[in-house]
Amino acid sequence: MDKPPLNNIVSRIKHTSIKGELMEIVREVARKNAAVIFTKSWCCMCHSMKALLYELGASPAVYELDQHVNGTQMEWGLRALGCCPVVPVVFIGGTLVGSAEDIISLHVDGSLKHMLINAKAIWL
């Protein structure tokens, strides 16, 4: 069966199989990288979260949704996974860690760096 064009995806997003396909796009990206951050190029909080990950020694895969060819599909996939706000969103070791608030909380309590080490996103 042919996949619907992108303009039809938005109108059919409530359809379970479409949601599943969009979530799978995001999950596949997350599985292939030790650390991933989904951002938008104009978002100051996204810039701050990237800077924090770089400062900790990680080199996350960065997906700028407003500049990526599949950015719209990935954004809908993040929404389907329950991400709100949609950016910035971080995955570590293939697991959804959360948004900026979650990342900052993990950094403050010291567990973010350990998560990155365990996922082999940074080496000591």
Side-chain angles (χ1 to χ4, degrees), residues 43-110:
C43 173
C44 62
M45 191 54 73
C46 294
H47 175 77
S48 297
M49 292 303 98
K50 287 188 289 188
L52 173 61
L53 293 173
Y54 291 137
E55 183 179 310
L56 291 172
S59 295
V62 178
Y63 287 85
E64 301 275 359
L65 299 179
D66 59 329
Q67 297 180 355
H68 193 278
V69 67
N70 294 322
T72 302
Q73 293 97 323
M74 287 187 213
E75 185 170 348
W76 282 106
L78 290 165
R79 287 179 197 274
L81 286 170
C83 299
C84 185
V86 176
V87 293
V89 172
V90 175
F91 286 77
I92 298 174
T95 302
L96 173 61
V97 177
S99 65
E101 184 177 335
D102 303 308
I103 299 305
I104 291 168
S105 294
L106 291 168
H107 179 57
V108 168
D109 76 14

Side-chain angles (χ1 to χ4, degrees), residues 1 12-24:
M1 180 176 200
R12 295 179 52 206
I13 193 65
K14 291 184 181 180
H15 190 277
T16 305
S17 66
I18 299 293
K19 280 176 131 177
E21 289 175 29
L22 296 174
M23 288 188 297
E24 189 54 36

